Amino acid sequence: MDQTVLSSQVYPNTIQSHSQCIIVNQIDGSSSGDRSKPVKRRRKRRSRGSSATNEDDVRAMEGMFKKRKLTDEQVIMLEYSFENEHKLESGRKEKIAGELSLDPRQVAVWFQNRRARWKNKKLEEEYAKLKSQHDSVVLAQCQLESQVLKLTEQLSEAQNEIQKLSERLVVQETSTNSSSSSLSAETNDAPTDTTNYNIPLYMLDNSYLQNIEYWDGLYEQF
DNA sequence: TTGTGTTTTACGACCTCC
DNA sequence: GGAGGTCGTAAAACACAA
């Protein structure tokens, strides 16, 4: 079926305006493959309402630009074909075009656009996946920071407790020394009685005091 | 009805591969 | 150098709220 007829059946009001659209190729006269000019050149298109002004334009109007909406059936078949293979070899293009009564160029363009849509979709999926992973990492980080905060508080409390014990120990040592000096006048090796202060004997050991300083130093570093 | 945003069709420019 | 790819974009077609 002729595509113009097909389109005019589906969109009877569009064909006339389509035929009024033309494209002026290479308006600046440069070759299409000129890589020495990286600046993108806008192609020029005649607006819908304008008419041809010379023979070239008339020729362009007659043959070049026909924007035709594909039928549902054509789209379904193209999608099916795209599912099988995203690339389009020459033979396959001709075959599909013949089967769907389309211009081979239309099939090529449809595949180009379809690949672009597919790529966009893939990018969006990839973005969503990465965002999900990122959110999970951020959540885990928050949990860890909260945990660090709690442990820091516990450490601080423990350090305070040690400080209190240390101060009590100093007081005790002072009183012990004064009493022991009087006691030692009476008995030489009398054991130190700490029961009144409720402090274990091992705390009176120098190594214990050194341990306190050691842990305090560690805490300061932390 | 109309303004506006989105999708679809088509193309130019440029790139890559053979 | 040609064929066919991507990328960016124009313009038609379409959807939809106001």
mmCIF file with all atom_site columns, all heavy atoms in Angstrom, chain A residues 129-155:
data_model
loop_
_atom_site.group_PDB
_atom_site.id
_atom_site.type_symbol
_atom_site.label_atom_id
_atom_site.label_alt_id
_atom_site.label_comp_id
_atom_site.label_asym_id
_atom_site.label_entity_id
_atom_site.label_seq_id
_atom_site.pdbx_PDB_ins_code
_atom_site.Cartn_x
_atom_site.Cartn_y
_atom_site.Cartn_z
_atom_site.occupancy
_atom_site.B_iso_or_equiv
_atom_site.pdbx_formal_charge
_atom_site.auth_seq_id
_atom_site.auth_comp_id
_atom_site.auth_asym_id
_atom_site.auth_atom_id
_atom_site.pdbx_PDB_model_num
ATOM 1   N N   . LYS A 1 129 ? 18.929 2.310  39.554 1.00 0.00 ? 129 LYS A N   1
ATOM 2   C CA  . LYS A 1 129 ? 19.655 1.266  40.286 1.00 0.00 ? 129 LYS A CA  1
ATOM 3   C C   . LYS A 1 129 ? 20.769 1.892  41.143 1.00 0.00 ? 129 LYS A C   1
ATOM 4   O O   . LYS A 1 129 ? 20.909 1.580  42.335 1.00 0.00 ? 129 LYS A O   1
ATOM 5   C CB  . LYS A 1 129 ? 20.246 0.286  39.268 1.00 0.00 ? 129 LYS A CB  1
ATOM 6   C CG  . LYS A 1 129 ? 20.863 -0.952 39.860 1.00 0.00 ? 129 LYS A CG  1
ATOM 7   C CD  . LYS A 1 129 ? 21.380 -1.829 38.728 1.00 0.00 ? 129 LYS A CD  1
ATOM 8   C CE  . LYS A 1 129 ? 22.298 -2.917 39.247 1.00 0.00 ? 129 LYS A CE  1
ATOM 9   N NZ  . LYS A 1 129 ? 22.904 -3.682 38.139 1.00 0.00 ? 129 LYS A NZ  1
ATOM 10  N N   . LEU A 1 130 ? 21.540 2.768  40.543 1.00 0.00 ? 130 LEU A N   1
ATOM 11  C CA  . LEU A 1 130 ? 22.639 3.420  41.257 1.00 0.00 ? 130 LEU A CA  1
ATOM 12  C C   . LEU A 1 130 ? 22.113 4.279  42.408 1.00 0.00 ? 130 LEU A C   1
ATOM 13  O O   . LEU A 1 130 ? 22.695 4.319  43.488 1.00 0.00 ? 130 LEU A O   1
ATOM 14  C CB  . LEU A 1 130 ? 23.456 4.289  40.294 1.00 0.00 ? 130 LEU A CB  1
ATOM 15  C CG  . LEU A 1 130 ? 24.340 3.517  39.320 1.00 0.00 ? 130 LEU A CG  1
ATOM 16  C CD1 . LEU A 1 130 ? 24.947 4.466  38.301 1.00 0.00 ? 130 LEU A CD1 1
ATOM 17  C CD2 . LEU A 1 130 ? 25.441 2.773  40.059 1.00 0.00 ? 130 LEU A CD2 1
ATOM 18  N N   . LYS A 1 131 ? 20.972 4.945  42.164 1.00 0.00 ? 131 LYS A N   1
ATOM 19  C CA  . LYS A 1 131 ? 20.394 5.783  43.210 1.00 0.00 ? 131 LYS A CA  1
ATOM 20  C C   . LYS A 1 131 ? 19.963 4.933  44.399 1.00 0.00 ? 131 LYS A C   1
ATOM 21  O O   . LYS A 1 131 ? 20.162 5.312  45.557 1.00 0.00 ? 131 LYS A O   1
ATOM 22  C CB  . LYS A 1 131 ? 19.202 6.553  42.658 1.00 0.00 ? 131 LYS A CB  1
ATOM 23  C CG  . LYS A 1 131 ? 18.677 7.599  43.602 1.00 0.00 ? 131 LYS A CG  1
ATOM 24  C CD  . LYS A 1 131 ? 17.595 8.443  42.963 1.00 0.00 ? 131 LYS A CD  1
ATOM 25  C CE  . LYS A 1 131 ? 17.155 9.561  43.888 1.00 0.00 ? 131 LYS A CE  1
ATOM 26  N NZ  . LYS A 1 131 ? 16.677 9.076  45.198 1.00 0.00 ? 131 LYS A NZ  1
ATOM 27  N N   . SER A 1 132 ? 19.387 3.770  44.093 1.00 0.00 ? 132 SER A N   1
ATOM 28  C CA  . SER A 1 132 ? 18.960 2.863  45.148 1.00 0.00 ? 132 SER A CA  1
ATOM 29  C C   . SER A 1 132 ? 20.163 2.412  45.979 1.00 0.00 ? 132 SER A C   1
ATOM 30  O O   . SER A 1 132 ? 20.114 2.391  47.214 1.00 0.00 ? 132 SER A O   1
ATOM 31  C CB  . SER A 1 132 ? 18.246 1.668  44.522 1.00 0.00 ? 132 SER A CB  1
ATOM 32  O OG  . SER A 1 132 ? 17.988 0.703  45.493 1.00 0.00 ? 132 SER A OG  1
ATOM 33  N N   . GLN A 1 133 ? 21.246 2.059  45.288 1.00 0.00 ? 133 GLN A N   1
ATOM 34  C CA  . GLN A 1 133 ? 22.461 1.633  45.990 1.00 0.00 ? 133 GLN A CA  1
ATOM 35  C C   . GLN A 1 133 ? 23.011 2.783  46.844 1.00 0.00 ? 133 GLN A C   1
ATOM 36  O O   . GLN A 1 133 ? 23.426 2.583  47.991 1.00 0.00 ? 133 GLN A O   1
ATOM 37  C CB  . GLN A 1 133 ? 23.510 1.185  44.971 1.00 0.00 ? 133 GLN A CB  1
ATOM 38  C CG  . GLN A 1 133 ? 23.160 -0.128 44.279 1.00 0.00 ? 133 GLN A CG  1
ATOM 39  C CD  . GLN A 1 133 ? 24.143 -0.470 43.186 1.00 0.00 ? 133 GLN A CD  1
ATOM 40  O OE1 . GLN A 1 133 ? 25.018 0.321  42.841 1.00 0.00 ? 133 GLN A OE1 1
ATOM 41  N NE2 . GLN A 1 133 ? 23.999 -1.655 42.601 1.00 0.00 ? 133 GLN A NE2 1
ATOM 42  N N   . HIS A 1 134 ? 23.000 3.963  46.285 1.00 0.00 ? 134 HIS A N   1
ATOM 43  C CA  . HIS A 1 134 ? 23.501 5.132  47.006 1.00 0.00 ? 134 HIS A CA  1
ATOM 44  C C   . HIS A 1 134 ? 22.692 5.381  48.271 1.00 0.00 ? 134 HIS A C   1
ATOM 45  O O   . HIS A 1 134 ? 23.241 5.634  49.344 1.00 0.00 ? 134 HIS A O   1
ATOM 46  C CB  . HIS A 1 134 ? 23.449 6.350  46.085 1.00 0.00 ? 134 HIS A CB  1
ATOM 47  C CG  . HIS A 1 134 ? 23.782 7.635  46.765 1.00 0.00 ? 134 HIS A CG  1
ATOM 48  N ND1 . HIS A 1 134 ? 22.799 8.486  47.243 1.00 0.00 ? 134 HIS A ND1 1
ATOM 49  C CD2 . HIS A 1 134 ? 24.958 8.219  47.076 1.00 0.00 ? 134 HIS A CD2 1
ATOM 50  C CE1 . HIS A 1 134 ? 23.377 9.530  47.804 1.00 0.00 ? 134 HIS A CE1 1
ATOM 51  N NE2 . HIS A 1 134 ? 24.685 9.394  47.712 1.00 0.00 ? 134 HIS A NE2 1
ATOM 52  N N   . ASP A 1 135 ? 21.360 5.269  48.139 1.00 0.00 ? 135 ASP A N   1
ATOM 53  C CA  . ASP A 1 135 ? 20.500 5.492  49.297 1.00 0.00 ? 135 ASP A CA  1
ATOM 54  C C   . ASP A 1 135 ? 20.787 4.474  50.400 1.00 0.00 ? 135 ASP A C   1
ATOM 55  O O   . ASP A 1 135 ? 20.785 4.810  51.591 1.00 0.00 ? 135 ASP A O   1
ATOM 56  C CB  . ASP A 1 135 ? 19.029 5.423  48.875 1.00 0.00 ? 135 ASP A CB  1
ATOM 57  C CG  . ASP A 1 135 ? 18.640 6.617  48.015 1.00 0.00 ? 135 ASP A CG  1
ATOM 58  O OD1 . ASP A 1 135 ? 19.430 7.586  47.968 1.00 0.00 ? 135 ASP A OD1 1
ATOM 59  O OD2 . ASP A 1 135 ? 17.568 6.581  47.383 1.00 0.00 ? 135 ASP A OD2 1
ATOM 60  N N   . SER A 1 136 ? 21.032 3.221  49.989 1.00 0.00 ? 136 SER A N   1
ATOM 61  C CA  . SER A 1 136 ? 21.336 2.176  50.970 1.00 0.00 ? 136 SER A CA  1
ATOM 62  C C   . SER A 1 136 ? 22.628 2.495  51.709 1.00 0.00 ? 136 SER A C   1
ATOM 63  O O   . SER A 1 136 ? 22.712 2.334  52.929 1.00 0.00 ? 136 SER A O   1
ATOM 64  C CB  . SER A 1 136 ? 21.467 0.827  50.260 1.00 0.00 ? 136 SER A CB  1
ATOM 65  O OG  . SER A 1 136 ? 20.278 0.485  49.626 1.00 0.00 ? 136 SER A OG  1
ATOM 66  N N   . VAL A 1 137 ? 23.623 2.958  50.970 1.00 0.00 ? 137 VAL A N   1
ATOM 67  C CA  . VAL A 1 137 ? 24.912 3.284  51.578 1.00 0.00 ? 137 VAL A CA  1
ATOM 68  C C   . VAL A 1 137 ? 24.760 4.453  52.549 1.00 0.00 ? 137 VAL A C   1
ATOM 69  O O   . VAL A 1 137 ? 25.319 4.443  53.658 1.00 0.00 ? 137 VAL A O   1
ATOM 70  C CB  . VAL A 1 137 ? 25.952 3.614  50.487 1.00 0.00 ? 137 VAL A CB  1
ATOM 71  C CG1 . VAL A 1 137 ? 27.200 4.209  51.094 1.00 0.00 ? 137 VAL A CG1 1
ATOM 72  C CG2 . VAL A 1 137 ? 26.304 2.361  49.706 1.00 0.00 ? 137 VAL A CG2 1
ATOM 73  N N   . VAL A 1 138 ? 23.978 5.452  52.158 1.00 0.00 ? 138 VAL A N   1
ATOM 74  C CA  . VAL A 1 138 ? 23.760 6.610  53.029 1.00 0.00 ? 138 VAL A CA  1
ATOM 75  C C   . VAL A 1 138 ? 23.066 6.187  54.318 1.00 0.00 ? 138 VAL A C   1
ATOM 76  O O   . VAL A 1 138 ? 23.426 6.634  55.418 1.00 0.00 ? 138 VAL A O   1
ATOM 77  C CB  . VAL A 1 138 ? 22.932 7.684  52.288 1.00 0.00 ? 138 VAL A CB  1
ATOM 78  C CG1 . VAL A 1 138 ? 22.444 8.738  53.259 1.00 0.00 ? 138 VAL A CG1 1
ATOM 79  C CG2 . VAL A 1 138 ? 23.764 8.326  51.195 1.00 0.00 ? 138 VAL A CG2 1
ATOM 80  N N   . LEU A 1 139 ? 22.083 5.296  54.185 1.00 0.00 ? 139 LEU A N   1
ATOM 81  C CA  . LEU A 1 139 ? 21.367 4.800  55.365 1.00 0.00 ? 139 LEU A CA  1
ATOM 82  C C   . LEU A 1 139 ? 22.321 4.064  56.301 1.00 0.00 ? 139 LEU A C   1
ATOM 83  O O   . LEU A 1 139 ? 22.317 4.283  57.526 1.00 0.00 ? 139 LEU A O   1
ATOM 84  C CB  . LEU A 1 139 ? 20.232 3.873  54.919 1.00 0.00 ? 139 LEU A CB  1
ATOM 85  C CG  . LEU A 1 139 ? 19.358 3.304  56.036 1.00 0.00 ? 139 LEU A CG  1
ATOM 86  C CD1 . LEU A 1 139 ? 18.629 4.448  56.736 1.00 0.00 ? 139 LEU A CD1 1
ATOM 87  C CD2 . LEU A 1 139 ? 18.359 2.302  55.484 1.00 0.00 ? 139 LEU A CD2 1
ATOM 88  N N   . ALA A 1 140 ? 23.141 3.191  55.742 1.00 0.00 ? 140 ALA A N   1
ATOM 89  C CA  . ALA A 1 140 ? 24.105 2.437  56.544 1.00 0.00 ? 140 ALA A CA  1
ATOM 90  C C   . ALA A 1 140 ? 25.078 3.387  57.241 1.00 0.00 ? 140 ALA A C   1
ATOM 91  O O   . ALA A 1 140 ? 25.443 3.183  58.404 1.00 0.00 ? 140 ALA A O   1
ATOM 92  C CB  . ALA A 1 140 ? 24.862 1.458  55.651 1.00 0.00 ? 140 ALA A CB  1
ATOM 93  N N   . GLN A 1 141 ? 25.474 4.423  56.542 1.00 0.00 ? 141 GLN A N   1
ATOM 94  C CA  . GLN A 1 141 ? 26.394 5.409  57.119 1.00 0.00 ? 141 GLN A CA  1
ATOM 95  C C   . GLN A 1 141 ? 25.752 6.104  58.318 1.00 0.00 ? 141 GLN A C   1
ATOM 96  O O   . GLN A 1 141 ? 26.389 6.306  59.358 1.00 0.00 ? 141 GLN A O   1
ATOM 97  C CB  . GLN A 1 141 ? 26.782 6.427  56.059 1.00 0.00 ? 141 GLN A CB  1
ATOM 98  C CG  . GLN A 1 141 ? 27.844 7.409  56.542 1.00 0.00 ? 141 GLN A CG  1
ATOM 99  C CD  . GLN A 1 141 ? 28.073 8.546  55.562 1.00 0.00 ? 141 GLN A CD  1
ATOM 100 O OE1 . GLN A 1 141 ? 27.355 8.675  54.572 1.00 0.00 ? 141 GLN A OE1 1
ATOM 101 N NE2 . GLN A 1 141 ? 29.049 9.376  55.829 1.00 0.00 ? 141 GLN A NE2 1
ATOM 102 N N   . CYS A 1 142 ? 24.477 6.455  58.174 1.00 0.00 ? 142 CYS A N   1
ATOM 103 C CA  . CYS A 1 142 ? 23.757 7.106  59.279 1.00 0.00 ? 142 CYS A CA  1
ATOM 104 C C   . CYS A 1 142 ? 23.710 6.197  60.500 1.00 0.00 ? 142 CYS A C   1
ATOM 105 O O   . CYS A 1 142 ? 23.913 6.642  61.635 1.00 0.00 ? 142 CYS A O   1
ATOM 106 C CB  . CYS A 1 142 ? 22.343 7.463  58.839 1.00 0.00 ? 142 CYS A CB  1
ATOM 107 S SG  . CYS A 1 142 ? 22.276 8.891  57.771 1.00 0.00 ? 142 CYS A SG  1
ATOM 108 N N   . GLN A 1 143 ? 23.436 4.921  60.247 1.00 0.00 ? 143 GLN A N   1
ATOM 109 C CA  . GLN A 1 143 ? 23.355 3.967  61.346 1.00 0.00 ? 143 GLN A CA  1
ATOM 110 C C   . GLN A 1 143 ? 24.704 3.835  62.050 1.00 0.00 ? 143 GLN A C   1
ATOM 111 O O   . GLN A 1 143 ? 24.782 3.791  63.278 1.00 0.00 ? 143 GLN A O   1
ATOM 112 C CB  . GLN A 1 143 ? 22.869 2.612  60.821 1.00 0.00 ? 143 GLN A CB  1
ATOM 113 C CG  . GLN A 1 143 ? 21.411 2.625  60.412 1.00 0.00 ? 143 GLN A CG  1
ATOM 114 C CD  . GLN A 1 143 ? 20.993 1.355  59.675 1.00 0.00 ? 143 GLN A CD  1
ATOM 115 O OE1 . GLN A 1 143 ? 21.848 0.621  59.175 1.00 0.00 ? 143 GLN A OE1 1
ATOM 116 N NE2 . GLN A 1 143 ? 19.696 1.129  59.577 1.00 0.00 ? 143 GLN A NE2 1
ATOM 117 N N   . LEU A 1 144 ? 25.758 3.800  61.267 1.00 0.00 ? 144 LEU A N   1
ATOM 118 C CA  . LEU A 1 144 ? 27.098 3.677  61.847 1.00 0.00 ? 144 LEU A CA  1
ATOM 119 C C   . LEU A 1 144 ? 27.462 4.915  62.653 1.00 0.00 ? 144 LEU A C   1
ATOM 120 O O   . LEU A 1 144 ? 28.038 4.825  63.738 1.00 0.00 ? 144 LEU A O   1
ATOM 121 C CB  . LEU A 1 144 ? 28.123 3.450  60.730 1.00 0.00 ? 144 LEU A CB  1
ATOM 122 C CG  . LEU A 1 144 ? 28.156 2.034  60.147 1.00 0.00 ? 144 LEU A CG  1
ATOM 123 C CD1 . LEU A 1 144 ? 29.063 1.987  58.926 1.00 0.00 ? 144 LEU A CD1 1
ATOM 124 C CD2 . LEU A 1 144 ? 28.610 1.031  61.199 1.00 0.00 ? 144 LEU A CD2 1
ATOM 125 N N   . GLU A 1 145 ? 27.103 6.083  62.123 1.00 0.00 ? 145 GLU A N   1
ATOM 126 C CA  . GLU A 1 145 ? 27.409 7.322  62.839 1.00 0.00 ? 145 GLU A CA  1
ATOM 127 C C   . GLU A 1 145 ? 26.658 7.384  64.167 1.00 0.00 ? 145 GLU A C   1
ATOM 128 O O   . GLU A 1 145 ? 27.191 7.842  65.182 1.00 0.00 ? 145 GLU A O   1
ATOM 129 C CB  . GLU A 1 145 ? 27.064 8.528  61.964 1.00 0.00 ? 145 GLU A CB  1
ATOM 130 C CG  . GLU A 1 145 ? 28.100 8.774  60.876 1.00 0.00 ? 145 GLU A CG  1
ATOM 131 C CD  . GLU A 1 145 ? 27.698 9.903  59.935 1.00 0.00 ? 145 GLU A CD  1
ATOM 132 O OE1 . GLU A 1 145 ? 26.551 10.369 60.034 1.00 0.00 ? 145 GLU A OE1 1
ATOM 133 O OE2 . GLU A 1 145 ? 28.537 10.288 59.114 1.00 0.00 ? 145 GLU A OE2 1
ATOM 134 N N   . SER A 1 146 ? 25.401 6.909  64.131 1.00 0.00 ? 146 SER A N   1
ATOM 135 C CA  . SER A 1 146 ? 24.610 6.868  65.360 1.00 0.00 ? 146 SER A CA  1
ATOM 136 C C   . SER A 1 146 ? 25.258 5.944  66.382 1.00 0.00 ? 146 SER A C   1
ATOM 137 O O   . SER A 1 146 ? 25.327 6.250  67.582 1.00 0.00 ? 146 SER A O   1
ATOM 138 C CB  . SER A 1 146 ? 23.208 6.399  65.021 1.00 0.00 ? 146 SER A CB  1
ATOM 139 O OG  . SER A 1 146 ? 22.479 6.134  66.174 1.00 0.00 ? 146 SER A OG  1
ATOM 140 N N   . GLN A 1 147 ? 25.742 4.824  65.884 1.00 0.00 ? 147 GLN A N   1
ATOM 141 C CA  . GLN A 1 147 ? 26.401 3.850  66.755 1.00 0.00 ? 147 GLN A CA  1
ATOM 142 C C   . GLN A 1 147 ? 27.682 4.442  67.359 1.00 0.00 ? 147 GLN A C   1
ATOM 143 O O   . GLN A 1 147 ? 27.963 4.272  68.552 1.00 0.00 ? 147 GLN A O   1
ATOM 144 C CB  . GLN A 1 147 ? 26.740 2.606  65.928 1.00 0.00 ? 147 GLN A CB  1
ATOM 145 C CG  . GLN A 1 147 ? 26.872 1.342  66.756 1.00 0.00 ? 147 GLN A CG  1
ATOM 146 C CD  . GLN A 1 147 ? 27.043 0.120  65.867 1.00 0.00 ? 147 GLN A CD  1
ATOM 147 O OE1 . GLN A 1 147 ? 26.816 0.184  64.662 1.00 0.00 ? 147 GLN A OE1 1
ATOM 148 N NE2 . GLN A 1 147 ? 27.448 -0.985 66.465 1.00 0.00 ? 147 GLN A NE2 1
ATOM 149 N N   . VAL A 1 148 ? 28.439 5.148  66.549 1.00 0.00 ? 148 VAL A N   1
ATOM 150 C CA  . VAL A 1 148 ? 29.669 5.789  67.019 1.00 0.00 ? 148 VAL A CA  1
ATOM 151 C C   . VAL A 1 148 ? 29.350 6.797  68.113 1.00 0.00 ? 148 VAL A C   1
ATOM 152 O O   . VAL A 1 148 ? 30.056 6.897  69.133 1.00 0.00 ? 148 VAL A O   1
ATOM 153 C CB  . VAL A 1 148 ? 30.404 6.467  65.843 1.00 0.00 ? 148 VAL A CB  1
ATOM 154 C CG1 . VAL A 1 148 ? 31.474 7.416  66.355 1.00 0.00 ? 148 VAL A CG1 1
ATOM 155 C CG2 . VAL A 1 148 ? 31.030 5.431  64.928 1.00 0.00 ? 148 VAL A CG2 1
ATOM 156 N N   . LEU A 1 149 ? 28.259 7.520  67.923 1.00 0.00 ? 149 LEU A N   1
ATOM 157 C CA  . LEU A 1 149 ? 27.848 8.517  68.909 1.00 0.00 ? 149 LEU A CA  1
ATOM 158 C C   . LEU A 1 149 ? 27.547 7.857  70.260 1.00 0.00 ? 149 LEU A C   1
ATOM 159 O O   . LEU A 1 149 ? 27.996 8.316  71.331 1.00 0.00 ? 149 LEU A O   1
ATOM 160 C CB  . LEU A 1 149 ? 26.621 9.250  68.385 1.00 0.00 ? 149 LEU A CB  1
ATOM 161 C CG  . LEU A 1 149 ? 26.433 10.678 68.841 1.00 0.00 ? 149 LEU A CG  1
ATOM 162 C CD1 . LEU A 1 149 ? 27.601 11.533 68.361 1.00 0.00 ? 149 LEU A CD1 1
ATOM 163 C CD2 . LEU A 1 149 ? 25.114 11.239 68.323 1.00 0.00 ? 149 LEU A CD2 1
ATOM 164 N N   . LYS A 1 150 ? 26.804 6.759  70.218 1.00 0.00 ? 150 LYS A N   1
ATOM 165 C CA  . LYS A 1 150 ? 26.453 6.051  71.457 1.00 0.00 ? 150 LYS A CA  1
ATOM 166 C C   . LYS A 1 150 ? 27.707 5.533  72.155 1.00 0.00 ? 150 LYS A C   1
ATOM 167 O O   . LYS A 1 150 ? 27.862 5.672  73.371 1.00 0.00 ? 150 LYS A O   1
ATOM 168 C CB  . LYS A 1 150 ? 25.528 4.864  71.130 1.00 0.00 ? 150 LYS A CB  1
ATOM 169 C CG  . LYS A 1 150 ? 24.092 5.261  70.909 1.00 0.00 ? 150 LYS A CG  1
ATOM 170 C CD  . LYS A 1 150 ? 23.263 4.014  70.641 1.00 0.00 ? 150 LYS A CD  1
ATOM 171 C CE  . LYS A 1 150 ? 21.823 4.389  70.333 1.00 0.00 ? 150 LYS A CE  1
ATOM 172 N NZ  . LYS A 1 150 ? 21.022 3.212  69.911 1.00 0.00 ? 150 LYS A NZ  1
ATOM 173 N N   . LEU A 1 151 ? 28.577 4.934  71.390 1.00 0.00 ? 151 LEU A N   1
ATOM 174 C CA  . LEU A 1 151 ? 29.798 4.381  71.970 1.00 0.00 ? 151 LEU A CA  1
ATOM 175 C C   . LEU A 1 151 ? 30.678 5.483  72.560 1.00 0.00 ? 151 LEU A C   1
ATOM 176 O O   . LEU A 1 151 ? 31.316 5.301  73.601 1.00 0.00 ? 151 LEU A O   1
ATOM 177 C CB  . LEU A 1 151 ? 30.571 3.601  70.900 1.00 0.00 ? 151 LEU A CB  1
ATOM 178 C CG  . LEU A 1 151 ? 29.930 2.282  70.481 1.00 0.00 ? 151 LEU A CG  1
ATOM 179 C CD1 . LEU A 1 151 ? 30.642 1.698  69.268 1.00 0.00 ? 151 LEU A CD1 1
ATOM 180 C CD2 . LEU A 1 151 ? 29.936 1.286  71.637 1.00 0.00 ? 151 LEU A CD2 1
ATOM 181 N N   . THR A 1 152 ? 30.689 6.620  71.896 1.00 0.00 ? 152 THR A N   1
ATOM 182 C CA  . THR A 1 152 ? 31.464 7.753  72.409 1.00 0.00 ? 152 THR A CA  1
ATOM 183 C C   . THR A 1 152 ? 30.922 8.213  73.754 1.00 0.00 ? 152 THR A C   1
ATOM 184 O O   . THR A 1 152 ? 31.676 8.517  74.679 1.00 0.00 ? 152 THR A O   1
ATOM 185 C CB  . THR A 1 152 ? 31.425 8.909  71.399 1.00 0.00 ? 152 THR A CB  1
ATOM 186 O OG1 . THR A 1 152 ? 31.906 8.465  70.150 1.00 0.00 ? 152 THR A OG1 1
ATOM 187 C CG2 . THR A 1 152 ? 32.291 10.067 71.874 1.00 0.00 ? 152 THR A CG2 1
ATOM 188 N N   . GLU A 1 153 ? 29.590 8.240  73.857 1.00 0.00 ? 153 GLU A N   1
ATOM 189 C CA  . GLU A 1 153 ? 28.972 8.630  75.130 1.00 0.00 ? 153 GLU A CA  1
ATOM 190 C C   . GLU A 1 153 ? 29.315 7.635  76.235 1.00 0.00 ? 153 GLU A C   1
ATOM 191 O O   . GLU A 1 153 ? 29.648 8.014  77.355 1.00 0.00 ? 153 GLU A O   1
ATOM 192 C CB  . GLU A 1 153 ? 27.458 8.729  74.952 1.00 0.00 ? 153 GLU A CB  1
ATOM 193 C CG  . GLU A 1 153 ? 27.026 9.976  74.215 1.00 0.00 ? 153 GLU A CG  1
ATOM 194 C CD  . GLU A 1 153 ? 25.532 9.949  73.903 1.00 0.00 ? 153 GLU A CD  1
ATOM 195 O OE1 . GLU A 1 153 ? 24.848 9.000  74.331 1.00 0.00 ? 153 GLU A OE1 1
ATOM 196 O OE2 . GLU A 1 153 ? 25.076 10.882 73.210 1.00 0.00 ? 153 GLU A OE2 1
ATOM 197 N N   . GLN A 1 154 ? 29.246 6.360  75.894 1.00 0.00 ? 154 GLN A N   1
ATOM 198 C CA  . GLN A 1 154 ? 29.591 5.325  76.882 1.00 0.00 ? 154 GLN A CA  1
ATOM 199 C C   . GLN A 1 154 ? 31.037 5.466  77.324 1.00 0.00 ? 154 GLN A C   1
ATOM 200 O O   . GLN A 1 154 ? 31.368 5.342  78.506 1.00 0.00 ? 154 GLN A O   1
ATOM 201 C CB  . GLN A 1 154 ? 29.363 3.939  76.275 1.00 0.00 ? 154 GLN A CB  1
ATOM 202 C CG  . GLN A 1 154 ? 27.908 3.570  76.140 1.00 0.00 ? 154 GLN A CG  1
ATOM 203 C CD  . GLN A 1 154 ? 27.721 2.194  75.516 1.00 0.00 ? 154 GLN A CD  1
ATOM 204 O OE1 . GLN A 1 154 ? 28.672 1.427  75.405 1.00 0.00 ? 154 GLN A OE1 1
ATOM 205 N NE2 . GLN A 1 154 ? 26.507 1.898  75.111 1.00 0.00 ? 154 GLN A NE2 1
ATOM 206 N N   . LEU A 1 155 ? 31.891 5.741  76.389 1.00 0.00 ? 155 LEU A N   1
ATOM 207 C CA  . LEU A 1 155 ? 33.308 5.905  76.698 1.00 0.00 ? 155 LEU A CA  1
ATOM 208 C C   . LEU A 1 155 ? 33.518 7.102  77.610 1.00 0.00 ? 155 LEU A C   1
ATOM 209 O O   . LEU A 1 155 ? 34.308 7.053  78.562 1.00 0.00 ? 155 LEU A O   1
ATOM 210 C CB  . LEU A 1 155 ? 34.088 6.071  75.392 1.00 0.00 ? 155 LEU A CB  1
ATOM 211 C CG  . LEU A 1 155 ? 35.611 5.965  75.491 1.00 0.00 ? 155 LEU A CG  1
ATOM 212 C CD1 . LEU A 1 155 ? 36.026 4.604  76.031 1.00 0.00 ? 155 LEU A CD1 1
ATOM 213 C CD2 . LEU A 1 155 ? 36.239 6.220  74.131 1.00 0.00 ? 155 LEU A CD2 1
#
